[in-house]
Amino acid sequence: YRLMPRRSAGDGSPRRAELREAAGIYKTLTEIYIVSTENARTLYATLGNLNLAEAAGLSPELASAYADMSAVCPLLNLHSLAEKYRSMAAQAAQALGMEPVTAYVRMATSVFTVGQGRWEESADSLDRAIAAFRQLGDWNRLGLTLVLRTHVHIFKGEFEAFQAVHREIADLAERSGSFQHMVWARDGEAESMLRLAGADRLQDVVARLQQNLAAMDRAGFELEQAHVHSLLVQAHLRRGDWAAAR
Protein backbone atom coordinates (compact mmCIF):
# COMPACT_ATOMS: atom_id res chain seq x y z
CA TYR A 1 0.00 0.00 0.00
CA ARG A 2 3.04 2.26 -0.07
CA LEU A 3 6.45 2.23 -1.74
CA MET A 4 8.59 3.82 0.98
CA PRO A 5 8.59 3.41 4.79
CA ARG A 6 6.59 6.19 6.38
CA ARG A 7 8.01 8.36 9.16
CA SER A 8 5.49 9.14 11.88
CA ALA A 9 4.84 12.66 13.12
CA GLY A 10 6.04 13.52 16.62
CA ASP A 11 3.63 13.47 19.55
CA GLY A 12 3.56 17.25 19.78
CA SER A 13 3.36 17.90 16.06
CA PRO A 14 0.32 19.84 14.82
CA ARG A 15 0.43 17.59 11.78
CA ARG A 16 -0.14 14.56 14.02
CA ALA A 17 -3.56 15.88 15.07
CA GLU A 18 -4.44 16.54 11.44
CA LEU A 19 -3.36 13.05 10.41
CA ARG A 20 -5.41 11.45 13.18
CA GLU A 21 -8.47 13.47 12.18
CA ALA A 22 -8.04 12.55 8.52
CA ALA A 23 -7.61 8.87 9.44
CA GLY A 24 -10.89 9.05 11.37
CA ILE A 25 -12.64 10.40 8.28
CA TYR A 26 -11.37 7.50 6.18
CA LYS A 27 -12.49 5.08 8.89
CA THR A 28 -16.00 6.53 8.70
CA LEU A 29 -15.91 6.03 4.93
CA THR A 30 -14.81 2.43 5.49
CA GLU A 31 -17.82 1.77 7.70
CA ILE A 32 -20.16 3.33 5.14
CA TYR A 33 -18.74 1.23 2.30
CA ILE A 34 -18.93 -1.96 4.37
CA VAL A 35 -22.64 -1.42 4.98
CA SER A 36 -23.22 -0.69 1.28
CA THR A 37 -21.14 -3.79 0.33
CA GLU A 38 -18.78 -1.79 -1.90
CA ASN A 39 -15.67 -3.93 -1.53
CA ALA A 40 -13.34 -1.93 -3.77
CA ARG A 41 -14.16 1.31 -1.99
CA THR A 42 -13.91 -0.45 1.37
CA LEU A 43 -10.36 -1.52 0.53
CA TYR A 44 -9.46 1.96 -0.72
CA ALA A 45 -10.78 3.68 2.41
CA THR A 46 -9.17 1.13 4.74
CA LEU A 47 -5.77 1.60 3.09
CA GLY A 48 -6.17 5.39 3.23
CA ASN A 49 -6.99 5.12 6.93
CA LEU A 50 -3.94 2.93 7.52
CA ASN A 51 -1.53 5.23 5.66
CA LEU A 52 -2.67 8.27 7.62
CA ALA A 53 -2.75 6.47 10.96
CA GLU A 54 0.75 5.08 10.51
CA ALA A 55 2.01 8.56 9.64
CA ALA A 56 0.52 9.83 12.90
CA GLY A 57 2.24 7.14 14.97
CA LEU A 58 0.91 5.13 17.91
CA SER A 59 -2.66 6.18 18.54
CA PRO A 60 -6.20 4.77 18.84
CA GLU A 61 -6.55 5.38 15.10
CA LEU A 62 -3.52 3.20 14.37
CA ALA A 63 -4.77 0.30 16.51
CA SER A 64 -8.19 0.41 14.85
CA ALA A 65 -6.62 0.71 11.37
CA TYR A 66 -4.58 -2.45 11.96
CA ALA A 67 -7.70 -4.21 13.25
CA ASP A 68 -9.71 -3.13 10.21
CA MET A 69 -6.97 -4.40 7.90
CA SER A 70 -7.18 -7.81 9.56
CA ALA A 71 -10.87 -7.89 8.64
CA VAL A 72 -10.41 -6.61 5.07
CA CYS A 73 -7.39 -8.68 3.97
CA PRO A 74 -9.37 -11.94 3.70
CA LEU A 75 -11.47 -10.30 0.97
CA LEU A 76 -8.28 -10.56 -1.13
CA ASN A 77 -7.42 -14.02 0.20
CA LEU A 78 -4.50 -12.52 2.14
CA HIS A 79 -4.94 -14.57 5.28
CA SER A 80 -1.35 -14.49 6.49
CA LEU A 81 -1.34 -10.71 6.15
CA ALA A 82 -4.62 -10.56 8.06
CA GLU A 83 -2.99 -12.50 10.89
CA LYS A 84 -0.06 -10.08 10.90
CA TYR A 85 -2.38 -7.07 11.19
CA ARG A 86 -4.39 -8.83 13.91
CA SER A 87 -1.20 -9.20 15.94
CA MET A 88 -0.13 -5.60 15.28
CA ALA A 89 -3.56 -4.33 16.35
CA ALA A 90 -3.36 -6.26 19.62
CA GLN A 91 0.15 -4.93 20.30
CA ALA A 92 -0.91 -1.34 19.61
CA ALA A 93 -3.98 -1.68 21.86
CA GLN A 94 -1.85 -3.12 24.66
CA ALA A 95 0.65 -0.27 24.35
CA LEU A 96 -2.14 2.32 24.52
CA GLY A 97 -3.90 0.70 27.47
CA MET A 98 -7.27 2.27 26.57
CA GLU A 99 -10.34 0.08 27.16
CA PRO A 100 -12.44 1.43 24.24
CA VAL A 101 -9.54 0.77 21.86
CA THR A 102 -8.90 -2.71 23.24
CA ALA A 103 -12.60 -3.57 22.95
CA TYR A 104 -12.74 -2.37 19.34
CA VAL A 105 -9.62 -4.34 18.41
CA ARG A 106 -11.08 -7.49 19.95
CA MET A 107 -14.31 -7.00 18.03
CA ALA A 108 -12.81 -6.09 14.64
CA THR A 109 -10.11 -8.77 14.61
CA SER A 110 -12.76 -11.36 15.43
CA VAL A 111 -14.13 -10.87 11.91
CA PHE A 112 -10.96 -12.63 10.75
CA THR A 113 -10.80 -15.32 13.45
CA VAL A 114 -14.48 -16.23 13.03
CA GLY A 115 -13.86 -16.65 9.30
CA GLN A 116 -10.94 -18.92 10.17
CA GLY A 117 -13.13 -21.14 12.36
CA ARG A 118 -11.18 -20.27 15.50
CA TRP A 119 -14.29 -20.58 17.65
CA GLU A 120 -12.89 -20.51 21.20
CA GLU A 121 -10.50 -17.65 20.50
CA SER A 122 -13.26 -15.67 18.79
CA ALA A 123 -15.77 -16.33 21.57
CA ASP A 124 -13.34 -15.18 24.25
CA SER A 125 -12.46 -11.96 22.40
CA LEU A 126 -16.08 -11.18 21.60
CA ASP A 127 -17.30 -11.86 25.14
CA ARG A 128 -14.68 -9.47 26.50
CA ALA A 129 -15.60 -6.84 23.94
CA ILE A 130 -19.31 -7.24 24.73
CA ALA A 131 -18.66 -6.69 28.43
CA ALA A 132 -16.55 -3.60 27.70
CA PHE A 133 -19.05 -2.02 25.31
CA ARG A 134 -21.85 -2.58 27.83
CA GLN A 135 -19.82 -0.79 30.48
CA LEU A 136 -18.89 2.01 28.08
CA GLY A 137 -22.48 2.41 26.85
CA ASP A 138 -21.38 2.08 23.23
CA TRP A 139 -24.64 0.67 21.83
CA ASN A 140 -23.55 0.75 18.19
CA ARG A 141 -20.46 -1.39 18.67
CA LEU A 142 -22.22 -3.56 21.22
CA GLY A 143 -24.77 -4.44 18.55
CA LEU A 144 -22.07 -5.30 16.01
CA THR A 145 -20.23 -7.45 18.55
CA LEU A 146 -23.38 -9.32 19.58
CA VAL A 147 -24.07 -10.12 15.92
CA LEU A 148 -20.55 -11.49 15.51
CA ARG A 149 -21.11 -13.58 18.63
CA THR A 150 -24.20 -15.11 17.05
CA HIS A 151 -22.05 -16.15 14.08
CA VAL A 152 -19.92 -18.30 16.37
CA HIS A 153 -23.06 -19.91 17.83
CA ILE A 154 -24.68 -20.64 14.47
CA PHE A 155 -21.51 -22.07 12.94
CA LYS A 156 -21.14 -24.37 15.95
CA GLY A 157 -24.78 -25.44 15.77
CA GLU A 158 -25.61 -23.79 19.12
CA PHE A 159 -29.09 -22.70 18.10
CA GLU A 160 -30.47 -22.04 21.59
CA ALA A 161 -27.49 -19.79 22.38
CA PHE A 162 -27.95 -18.13 18.97
CA GLN A 163 -31.55 -17.37 19.91
CA ALA A 164 -30.59 -16.07 23.36
CA VAL A 165 -28.09 -13.56 21.97
CA HIS A 166 -30.67 -12.28 19.48
CA ARG A 167 -33.00 -11.65 22.40
CA GLU A 168 -30.22 -9.48 23.83
CA ILE A 169 -30.07 -7.65 20.50
CA ALA A 170 -33.85 -7.12 20.67
CA ASP A 171 -33.47 -5.63 24.17
CA LEU A 172 -30.67 -3.43 22.86
CA ALA A 173 -32.88 -2.26 19.97
CA GLU A 174 -35.49 -1.06 22.46
CA ARG A 175 -32.88 0.91 24.41
CA SER A 176 -30.97 2.33 21.45
CA GLY A 177 -33.89 2.96 19.10
CA SER A 178 -31.65 1.79 16.26
CA PHE A 179 -33.39 0.52 13.14
CA GLN A 180 -30.32 -1.56 12.36
CA HIS A 181 -30.53 -3.28 15.75
CA MET A 182 -34.24 -3.92 15.19
CA VAL A 183 -33.53 -5.52 11.80
CA TRP A 184 -30.86 -7.77 13.29
CA ALA A 185 -33.17 -8.79 16.13
CA ARG A 186 -36.08 -9.60 13.81
CA ASP A 187 -33.88 -11.60 11.44
CA GLY A 188 -32.42 -13.51 14.37
CA GLU A 189 -35.85 -14.27 15.76
CA ALA A 190 -36.99 -15.65 12.40
CA GLU A 191 -33.79 -17.64 11.87
CA SER A 192 -34.06 -19.09 15.38
CA MET A 193 -37.58 -20.26 14.57
CA LEU A 194 -36.31 -21.75 11.31
CA ARG A 195 -33.63 -23.74 13.15
CA LEU A 196 -35.63 -24.75 16.24
CA ALA A 197 -39.35 -24.76 15.43
CA GLY A 198 -41.33 -27.61 13.93
CA ALA A 199 -42.86 -27.76 10.48
CA ASP A 200 -46.10 -26.26 11.81
CA ARG A 201 -44.31 -22.94 12.46
CA LEU A 202 -42.68 -22.57 9.07
CA GLN A 203 -45.48 -20.42 7.67
CA ASP A 204 -44.93 -18.02 10.58
CA VAL A 205 -41.22 -17.95 9.73
CA VAL A 206 -41.99 -17.08 6.11
CA ALA A 207 -44.38 -14.31 7.18
CA ARG A 208 -41.83 -12.79 9.56
CA LEU A 209 -39.08 -12.88 6.96
CA GLN A 210 -41.30 -11.26 4.35
CA GLN A 211 -42.16 -8.48 6.81
CA ASN A 212 -38.47 -7.94 7.52
CA LEU A 213 -37.70 -7.86 3.82
CA ALA A 214 -40.33 -5.20 3.21
CA ALA A 215 -38.95 -3.04 6.01
CA MET A 216 -35.39 -3.37 4.76
CA ASP A 217 -36.42 -2.61 1.19
CA ARG A 218 -37.55 0.79 2.37
CA ALA A 219 -34.28 1.29 4.25
CA GLY A 220 -32.11 -0.08 1.43
CA PHE A 221 -30.11 -2.65 3.41
CA GLU A 222 -28.77 -4.79 0.57
CA LEU A 223 -26.59 -7.09 2.65
CA GLU A 224 -29.38 -7.89 5.09
CA GLN A 225 -31.82 -8.36 2.21
CA ALA A 226 -29.59 -11.04 0.68
CA HIS A 227 -29.45 -12.88 4.00
CA VAL A 228 -33.24 -12.78 4.40
CA HIS A 229 -33.70 -14.10 0.86
CA SER A 230 -31.42 -17.05 1.69
CA LEU A 231 -33.49 -17.78 4.83
CA LEU A 232 -36.71 -17.58 2.82
CA VAL A 233 -35.36 -20.15 0.36
CA GLN A 234 -34.54 -22.49 3.24
CA ALA A 235 -37.99 -22.03 4.79
CA HIS A 236 -39.77 -22.68 1.48
CA LEU A 237 -37.67 -25.80 0.86
CA ARG A 238 -38.49 -27.16 4.31
CA ARG A 239 -42.17 -26.63 3.51
CA GLY A 240 -41.72 -28.45 0.19
CA ASP A 241 -42.69 -25.33 -1.77
CA TRP A 242 -40.19 -25.64 -4.59
CA ALA A 243 -41.83 -22.98 -6.76
CA ALA A 244 -41.58 -20.34 -4.02
CA ALA A 245 -37.98 -21.35 -3.30
CA ARG A 246 -37.03 -20.63 -6.90
Side-chain angles (χ1 to χ4, degrees):
Y1 58 91
R2 62 176 185 267
L3 297 177
M4 299 293 292
R6 188 179 294 276
R7 180 179 298 175
S8 64
D11 287 346
S13 169
R15 178 166 167 73
R16 172 177 161 83
E18 294 174 358
L19 289 166
R20 290 181 60 186
E21 181 179 4
I25 292 170
Y26 271 91
K27 177 166 180 56
T28 299
L29 288 172
T30 298
E31 294 172 354
I32 292 170
Y33 294 143
I34 287 173
V35 171
S36 60
T37 64
E38 298 179 73
N39 289 344
R41 290 183 175 181
T42 296
L43 179 61
Y44 169 79
T46 305
L47 288 172
N49 177 22
L50 178 62
N51 277 322
L52 291 163
E54 285 193 324
L58 181 63
S59 63
E61 290 77 15
L62 181 61
S64 67
Y66 285 151
D68 291 344
M69 283 298 295
S70 78
V72 169
C73 281
L75 294 175
L76 302 175
N77 204 31
L78 299 173
H79 300 290
S80 61
L81 191 58
E83 180 61 42
K84 177 182 177 180
Y85 280 119
R86 186 198 66 80
S87 178
M88 293 170 69
Q91 291 172 13
Q94 184 177 16
L96 290 164
M98 302 169 66
E99 187 60 26
V101 177
T102 299
Y104 179 82
V105 165
R106 285 173 173 157
M107 182 268 288
T109 57
S110 292
V111 174
F112 169 61
T113 57
V114 169
Q116 290 279 296
R118 291 150 60 173
W119 308 134
E120 300 307 320
E121 179 182 354
S122 300
D124 180 67
S125 291
L126 290 168
D127 287 343
R128 293 186 182 202
I130 288 167
F133 288 138
R134 285 191 198 281
Q135 185 174 9
L136 293 166
D138 189 337
W139 302 139
N140 180 43
R141 286 176 175 167
L142 175 59
L144 288 168
T145 312
L146 287 169
V147 169
L148 283 170
R149 191 64 177 89
T150 68
H151 292 175
V152 176
H153 288 311
I154 198 81
F155 291 145
K156 293 180 68 179
E158 299 170 345
F159 301 131
E160 291 83 1
F162 174 85
Q163 184 179 53
V165 176
H166 273 100
R167 286 173 180 156
E168 293 185 52
I169 297 172
D171 291 340
L172 177 63
E174 291 186 8
R175 293 197 302 272
S176 68
S178 166
F179 181 78
Q180 176 72 82
H181 292 163
M182 182 192 70
V183 166
W184 287 335
R186 288 181 177 180
D187 284 353
E189 179 185 21
E191 187 165 2
S192 297
M193 290 176 62
L194 180 61
R195 308 301 178 194
L196 295 169
D200 58 321
R201 299 294 305 279
L202 289 176
Q203 184 57 47
D204 292 337
V205 173
V206 170
R208 287 172 184 267
L209 289 171
Q210 288 174 337
Q211 290 172 0
N212 294 354
L213 198 58
M216 285 185 287
D217 184 57
R218 292 196 299 271
F221 289 176
E222 295 180 356
L223 188 61
E224 286 81 0
Q225 288 173 12
H227 180 60
V228 172
H229 278 299
S230 73
L231 294 176
L232 274 169
V233 169
Q234 294 175 56
H236 288 312
L237 289 175
R238 282 191 59 189
R239 295 177 64 228
D241 192 342
W242 298 92
R246 291 192 185 93

